[in-house]
Amino acid sequence: MTLKKTLTIAGSDASGGAGTHADLKTFQEYGTYGIQALTCIATMDPDHGWRHSVYTLPIDVLKEQLKTAISTGIDAVKTGMLPNEEVIQVAAEGIQQSGTNNVVIDPVMVCKGEDEVLNPGNVDAMIQYLLPLALVTTPNLFEAGQLAGMKTPKNIEEMKEAAEKIHALGAKNVVIKGGRSLGTEKAIDLFFDGDKFYALETDPIETNYNHGAGCTFAASITANLANGLSVQEAVVASKEFVAAAIQHGWRLNQYVGPVMHGAKNVFGAPKVTIKEI
């Protein structure tokens, strides 16, 4: 038996809910063989309000991990937390060396629950090195604004503007995660394939237990692409996957609640509608 091989180049979340932990759990749900190349380790201090610290691994360690991973033959790859410009450049080189076109760029800029950008120079490096490689990129509203060089989008029209600008930077398909943040009746993400705009809609899920949702969504797209789905099919299926994961999110401790990565396969998924807009 041969499994599709999916690589995540991202950080380790010491609480287990996001980063490569979320990615590998998601890859497993799709029956792919998950491989990780760690860029950093994020810890959370329970004695100081779950304050985050990020520890970057030596760049030579990342290079050796990528050398090992790429030698196995990679079918799809995603990026997550990349703490500085050098790491971004090395990740981009590794993606190119892998030879796969199934590349998902999740442009992580802050840790969830924090508002400090990891490194202000990361945006320019992502634009230069990663977006031109992206078959799909999955920014949230803040990240979309940063990549597009505009204020954080607050409505569908501004999301469309940001998506067009990000596409012009090289990303072939753009998914901007709006979710509940738009204040609309439905939870909406915007999908732009370079030609048409689509709204992906679900009923909003009232919960704060959504730690790891962004990583899980991008990892799901990655696995779906490895398994042969088209980009649009992969995105829609991943919206279902992450909606179920959020719907069944649970309390880890007084600070955080992660999504349930296997929820779709256990309980089914909320209905997702896709419509051209």
Side-chain angles (χ1 to χ4, degrees), residues 6-23:
T6 43
L7 170 64
T8 172
I9 309 172
S12 169
D13 169 12
S15 76
T20 60
H21 298 270
D23 297 339

Side-chain angles (χ1 to χ4, degrees), residues 132-153:
L133 303 177
L135 179 59
V136 186
T137 188
T138 60
N140 61 27
L141 293 172
F142 171 76
E143 292 159 351
Q146 292 293 304
L147 292 173
M150 55 187 281
K151 293 181 180 179
T152 299

